[in-house]
Amino acid sequence: MSKTAGRRVAATAHPAGENMPDVITTAKATQWSRSSRRRDTARREPGRQEPGRREPGRREPGRREFLTGMGAVAATFALGVPARATDAARDAATAVEYVDVQLLDITDLHGFLQGAPGSNSVIVGNGGIGYTVGGVAYMAAHLERLRDGRANSLFFTPGDAFSGWEFDAAAFADEPTIEALNRMGLDFATAGNHEFDKSPAMLQRHMEQGIPFPVEGRDTSFTDSAGLRFHGADFRYYSANLVRGQDGRTVLPAYNIEWVRTADGRELPIGFIHLTAVGSERFPGSYQPGLATLDDVATADRYAALLKSQGVNAIVLSLHDGAVAGADFNSGVDPSGPALDLALRVSPDIDAIVTGHWHTRFNMMIPDPNGVPRPFVEAGCYGQVINEINLRLDPLTGRVIRELTVSTNHPNTRDIAPHPELGEVVTYWAGQAAARDRTPIGRQTGSFLRTRNTAGESTMGNLAADWALWAGSRPTDPENDANIHPNVPAELAVVAAAPRVGQAIIAGDLVLDPASGGAVTFGSAWRAVGFGDPIVSAWVDGQRIHDALEEQWTTTEAGELRFAPLAVSRNVRYSFDARGPVGDRVDPADVFVDGVALDLGRRYRLAAPSYTLLASDGYPALSEFEEPYRHQRDFESFVAYVRETAVLSPQPRGRVTAAAASSTAGEVGTVVDPPVLLLPDGTPVPRPEAAIISADRPQPTRDAGRAPC
């Protein structure tokens, strides 16, 4: 799929790792070049008049008249469909005296190449009309139509394009997503939190540059639909506020400058500032001990001032954080959320704000701090929507004529012919995924089941805990370049078999298939454990380990005793008193690590999923850890464990003993497995999303709506 000729001529970027001065004076922008990147020659738009000349009878809306009309907008934060800065924008398409620039964006694709999952495939628009949406083959066809005849068009994403949740992409290190984006002509991307679900090195060295991690053709660097090895993205990732925690240097370039052509062949710059969701380094999936995120408003203002000092008079903010603003995908009403808070405060020099992260859909104009409207949009998730913002630039100054700005959210409908080239990409990777799903990677001698005994122990839980101990003892991986503490091998591991809240990392059973000789396939191992979080090893004192064991029991408001068992690794034994009150059921003298009683004053190197250490599943005692080291992501790590172990054999249960469970005064408690979260049509919510939504953390929206992903 080729880009429309003349969409751009050059791009410059602020280099990664450069500390900006506290007082912005000058900055050096470096040229981003790549041998594989396609550069097209600009052409003159048909009917374009000479710069500075206006059609007879046309006048630019006066600022006084414009601001007077803003009262209703400021009061309601909502406009119609499509969103227009003023009534003057209704006929802006005929404003040939300006330079027309088309911005196209998608967000939170998450590797869903075939289509949005379940009821996410239907979105509601103006008047309650529903649209069936999703799939990159249809998206490519819509993009081709939208770009047709547009001399200056840019296509980008505010983040979470990969960290694929669809098996077809995730099983191949998300390379299928990059191939699809390359073929659709993505120009650049903001790094979302999920772009760091592996590491900065994985993003920069593999996703951008194509360097294998670690084994070519097995772990990464697969053959694509054209029969070629993965070569990386034909676009670059950016983030202005994601920094190395030790020295404050940006991990990625902070901004890029794109150049568009005027009717007489001159070039005008447009600056794009990129922000990653604040706190991404502390999210369970993108947990990176060596990274930090800077304040978003201060960072955006800083780079807006820098761009202005470089003579850039058109600025767009691409923000991987979002808001909620009603159900209609192409309008907005009563918005709330962190992106709105930012949009109302951030520099008036920013002409448009494109958001993501919250998997919501809205399209509206909101006032900047000076009361001048600018687009505020989010394009859903999973390929549901393509947002289009049309900017009109003064051909002499490059300034955005904000009064003429128009924004529209287009549904990525499936009622058109899919693009054949992208259709081939989707079909190819679906076939590759089906074959990989069936590939044997190990063997098992018996079934591993989640069925628990009285003490809450199961063969599947024990297997998961043993894997966590193995994963937390792995040697240093060059892919994990955002660790700042030593990699000390774990001494013990815990895994929440049926957590108090959130989701269980154990997703299924491994049932023996005698007909295959007990083969464990790639797909069965992949689906048995994990939802995209890493194993983390950290120092935790004995008192906290004991307290976490006590936290397995709680009492409901109705007085019912609940039991949320933790599976422990094979070198741990403990017993609990089924007659004891909540908070006093485990005697430290009855807890043994490698045959030695637990020392409450000693530090232990514990391995557990980041989800558990960050208290997302309801064991807060373990959140007081020190010197964490991030290891590999769960489903990839579990596949590696099966490969290395080669033969899995269920171990006899007996790591946990329930004392006095059969006595009249004894009560183990009721185990409640986390419910499977369902979409409105009854299909399951993707597991990574379900884990985030149900985690033990406050809902960030004022109406307790969907948590960001």
Side-chain angles (χ1 to χ4, degrees):
M1 178 182 178
S2 62
K3 297 182 183 180
T4 301
R7 297 199 311 107
R8 55 190 305 188
V9 294
T12 56
H14 168 63
E18 180 175 312
N19 278 318
M20 298 301 302
D22 289 334
V23 179
I24 297 175
T25 54
T26 61
K28 182 179 179 181
T30 59
Q31 182 75 28
W32 164 247
S33 62
R34 186 183 182 89
S35 60
S36 61
R37 190 174 181 94
R38 296 185 293 263
R39 298 288 189 190
D40 300 315
T41 304
R43 60 180 173 82
R44 184 185 179 101
E45 280 191 48
R48 177 76 69 183
Q49 294 189 357
E50 292 299 318
R53 297 183 60 186
R54 309 193 192 284
E55 292 182 34
R58 179 178 297 278
R59 66 184 179 87
E60 182 173 341
R63 179 171 176 81
R64 181 188 302 273
E65 173 186 64
F66 168 55
L67 292 178
T68 301
M70 273 301 297
V73 178
T76 64
F77 297 116
L79 284 179
V81 181
R84 299 181 178 93
T86 65
D87 285 343
R90 291 184 180 278
D91 61 350
T94 64
V96 294
E97 67 267 41
Y98 302 115
V99 179
D100 180 73
V101 178
Q102 180 191 58
L103 306 180
L104 300 169
D105 71 89
I106 61 171
T107 191
D108 292 81
L109 180 62
H110 285 293
F112 278 98
L113 305 186
Q114 295 194 50
S119 56
N120 281 297
S121 64
V122 177
I123 61 175
V124 177
N126 194 29
I129 300 173
Y131 299 84
T132 300
V133 295
V136 296
Y138 298 96
M139 179 183 292
H142 284 293
L143 285 170
E144 197 165 69
R145 172 183 56 81
L146 290 168
R147 289 166 168 162
D148 186 36
R150 306 302 289 266
N152 296 310
S153 182
L154 296 167
F155 177 38
F156 65 100
T157 176
D160 282 7
F162 70 85
S163 193
W165 297 355
E166 185 174 56
F167 181 79
D168 294 10
F172 293 95
D174 301 300
E175 293 173 11
T177 307
I178 299 297
E179 182 187 359
L181 295 172
N182 283 346
R183 289 179 179 270
M184 288 191 292
L186 193 75
D187 288 301
F188 52 89
T190 303
N193 53 298
H194 284 290
E195 264 84 18
F196 295 96
D197 279 359
K198 291 187 180 181
S199 66
M202 190 69 178
L203 176 61
Q204 294 175 286
R205 291 170 55 78
H206 181 65
M207 290 308 197
E208 286 192 335
Q209 302 173 30
I211 298 172
F213 276 115
V215 180
E216 182 176 322
R218 188 196 73 180
D219 303 303
T220 58
S221 302
F222 301 97
T223 302
D224 66 17
S225 66
L228 303 174
R229 286 288 185 189
F230 179 71
H231 70 270
D234 296 339
F235 54 89
R236 197 169 192 180
Y237 275 93
Y238 298 88
S239 176
N241 68 325
L242 189 77
V243 299
R244 301 277 182 182
Q246 290 180 303
D247 57 19
R249 291 181 175 271
T250 53
V251 174
L252 298 167
Y255 65 87
N256 58 305
I257 301 174
E258 306 294 325
W259 297 83
V260 297
R261 288 281 177 88
T262 66
D264 60 355
R266 290 179 299 104
E267 298 176 0
L268 297 175
I270 302 179
F272 291 83
I273 303 168
H274 304 264
L275 296 177
T276 304
V278 172
S280 291
E281 73 280 3
R282 299 188 301 275
F283 296 170
S286 54
Y287 179 68
Q288 300 286 353
L291 302 184
T293 42
L294 305 178
D295 179 80
D296 46 10
V297 174
T299 302
D301 286 352
R302 189 181 192 185
Y303 283 102
L306 174 62
L307 286 165
K308 291 289 285 188
S309 73
Q310 294 178 340
V312 179
N313 291 325
I315 302 174
V316 176
L317 176 61
S318 180
L319 167 68
H320 193 73
D321 208 348
V324 292
D328 184 338
F329 70 81
N330 200 24
S331 67
V333 60
D334 194 24
S336 64
L340 175 72
D341 297 338
L342 176 144
L344 295 173
R345 297 167 52 206
V346 79
S347 171
D349 290 330
I350 293 171
D351 298 294
I353 299 172
V354 178
T355 75
H357 187 48
W358 277 44
H359 293 197
T360 56
R361 301 167 296 277
F362 55 85
N363 175 42
M364 55 196 304
M365 297 281 170
I366 62 170
D368 69 16
N370 290 339
V372 181
R374 55 188 172 189
F376 179 58
V377 302
E378 185 163 341
C381 57
Y382 310 142
Q384 296 169 328
V385 171
I386 302 168
N387 170 255
E388 177 185 20
I389 297 174
N390 291 291
L391 302 178
R392 273 78 195 185
L393 275 57
D394 185 305
L396 298 179
T397 66
R399 180 178 67 88
V400 174
I401 309 302
R402 295 263 287 270
E403 297 90 330
L404 301 181
T405 301
V406 179
S407 177
T408 307
N409 273 349
H410 301 279
N412 179 27
T413 59
R414 302 169 66 92
D415 56 357
I416 62 172
H419 194 285
E421 184 178 329
L422 270 295
E424 291 174 2
V425 171
V426 173
T427 300
Y428 170 79
W429 286 112
Q432 293 294 104
R436 186 157 223 217
D437 194 324
R438 300 187 298 266
T439 303
I441 59 171
R443 189 169 64 86
Q444 62 188 100
T445 62
S447 292
F448 294 85
L449 306 176
R450 288 167 291 174
T451 304
R452 291 176 288 268
N453 63 11
T454 302
E457 190 178 355
S458 69
T459 53
M460 192 65 205
N462 287 347
L463 175 65
D466 291 345
W467 151 70
L469 178 60
W470 173 89
S473 305
R474 300 296 294 157
T476 300
D477 184 347
E479 174 197 315
N480 285 319
D481 66 329
N483 283 302
I484 55 176
H485 301 294
N487 180 12
V488 180
E491 300 173 86
L492 73 160
V494 297
V495 167
R500 290 170 53 172
V501 293
Q503 295 290 296
I505 195 171
I506 303 171
D509 300 327
L510 281 177
V511 179
L512 177 68
D513 177 19
S516 68
V520 180
T521 64
F522 182 96
S524 63
W526 184 277
R527 286 185 287 269
V529 172
F531 34 59
D533 294 350
I535 289 294
V536 174
S537 57
W539 292 111
V540 179
D541 63 43
Q543 181 67 60
R544 295 302 173 190
I545 293 173
H546 167 264
D547 292 348
L549 295 177
E550 294 283 11
E551 287 171 346
Q552 294 175 105
W553 291 275
T554 54
T555 305
T556 68
E557 292 183 1
E560 180 185 13
L561 181 65
R562 291 287 180 88
F563 179 31
L566 288 165
V568 296
S569 52
R570 61 166 55 95
N571 63 328
V572 177
R573 297 287 186 275
Y574 79 93
S575 63
F576 64 88
D577 187 348
R579 297 166 300 184
V582 170
D584 190 17
R585 298 196 131 206
V586 180
D587 186 337
D590 293 330
V591 181
F592 297 89
V593 180
D594 291 321
V596 179
L598 186 71
D599 183 344
L600 299 182
R602 182 200 151 184
R603 293 202 311 169
Y604 292 84
R605 194 68 177 174
L606 175 71
S610 61
Y611 199 69
T612 297
L613 290 177
L614 296 172
S616 294
D617 49 11
Y619 306 90
L622 296 179
S623 64
E624 297 188 30
F625 55 84
E626 297 177 330
E627 298 182 23
Y629 187 91
R630 177 195 165 108
H631 297 271
Q632 194 175 19
R633 280 202 305 182
D634 44 28
F635 35 64
E636 294 159 331
S637 177
F638 188 70
V639 166
Y641 174 70
V642 174
R643 279 196 181 112
E644 181 170 302
T645 306
V647 179
L648 304 177
S649 297
Q651 301 299 307
R653 293 180 294 185
R655 302 177 187 184
V656 184
T657 304
S662 59
S663 70
T664 55
E667 184 181 4
V668 173
T670 301
V671 178
V672 178
D673 288 299
V676 176
L677 301 187
L678 301 176
L679 295 167
D681 68 345
T683 57
V685 173
R687 275 182 54 75
E689 185 176 1
I692 296 167
I693 292 172
S694 60
D696 187 18
R697 61 192 180 114
Q699 294 290 344
T701 62
R702 69 185 183 201
D703 58 354
R706 171 191 292 276
C709 294

